[in-house]
Amino acid sequence: MERYGYCIFCDDIRTEAGGKLSFIGCYNSAMFVTNEFPLSLPKLCVHFNVFSPADQPYKSLRVRCYLPGEDRPIAEETIEVPALQDQINLLTSLPKDQPMMPYIVVAASLIFSPCEIKSPGMIHVRAVINDSPTELHLGSLAVSSQAAPQVALEHGPTAIN
C-alpha cells in the first residue's frame, strides 16, 4: 500500500456547525480567467488530504504550493501530525482481523489572499513526508486565459404586424 493524497481547489472554505467544511466555488481541472496575466485573485483556497498506511506513520509533513511562472514554492507549510507514539497506539488498538491495513489521514487547508498569478500554467500542490527527497503529488489546477464572451447584437429592420 502506498501513500496518496488529493486536493480541492476553491474560492473559499467555510467551517460550519459541527465542524463540517463547505467548499465555495470549487474548480474541476481548470481555472479560466478573463483577465490578462499577471493577475490577482482575491482569494484562492486549497484543501488537501494525505493518506499514509498505518504501518508507515508520519514523522513530519510539509506541504508546498507552486504557481505558474514561479521557480520556488510560494508556500511551504509544516503541518502538525499526530505524535508517533499516538499513531502506533492507534494501530495496536484496532482489531487485528481487518481486511485492509488502515490509513492515517492528515488534512489541512491553505488560503492565499490575495493570490498573484504571473502567467498561465499549472498550480501544483506537493507533500514532503518524513523529510523524503521526493515530493508526493497531491493535486494540480490548470490556469488559463479565456477571452470574455462577445455578445453580438443585430440591428436590422423590424417588422411590426
Side-chain angles (χ1 to χ4, degrees):
M1 294 174 32
E2 295 185 25
R3 293 180 170 126
Y4 69 96
Y6 70 89
C7 288
I8 298 171
F9 294 90
C10 58
D11 293 331
D12 199 9
I13 300 172
R14 298 181 188 159
T15 302
E16 307 293 343
K20 296 183 291 182
L21 294 177
S22 289
F23 302 107
I24 311 302
C26 295
Y27 295 98
N28 287 320
S29 61
M31 172 194 298
F32 298 104
V33 296
T34 56
N35 299 2
E36 298 284 327
F37 290 96
L39 62 90
S40 179
L41 301 174
K43 186 187 273 189
L44 177 66
C45 301
V46 180
H47 183 80
F48 60 87
N49 288 275
V50 182
F51 296 77
S52 185
D55 63 351
Q56 298 175 45
Y58 298 98
K59 295 176 189 153
S60 65
L61 175 63
R62 285 179 290 143
V63 175
R64 297 176 178 156
C65 183
Y66 300 87
L67 291 181
E70 300 286 343
D71 294 335
R72 298 175 187 242
I74 63 150
E76 182 168 346
E77 297 292 327
T78 299
I79 307 301
E80 187 175 335
V81 297
L84 186 57
Q85 191 59 53
D86 291 343
Q87 294 176 69
I88 293 167
N89 291 346
L90 176 64
L91 180 61
T92 58
S93 72
L94 295 173
K96 304 297 179 222
D97 59 348
Q98 296 291 322
M100 293 182 61
M101 173 69 68
Y103 281 86
I104 299 172
V105 183
V106 175
S109 300
L110 300 173
I111 298 173
F112 304 101
S113 182
C115 182
E116 307 287 334
I117 301 177
K118 291 181 180 178
S119 61
M122 298 291 285
I123 298 172
H124 297 284
V125 179
R126 306 281 191 255
V128 177
I129 300 171
N130 302 343
D131 296 318
S132 169
T134 60
E135 296 177 320
L136 177 66
H137 172 80
L138 299 181
S140 298
L141 179 69
V143 181
S144 64
S145 181
Q146 176 179 335
Q150 300 295 318
V151 177
L153 297 176
E154 289 189 24
H155 298 283
T158 303
I160 299 176
N161 292 341

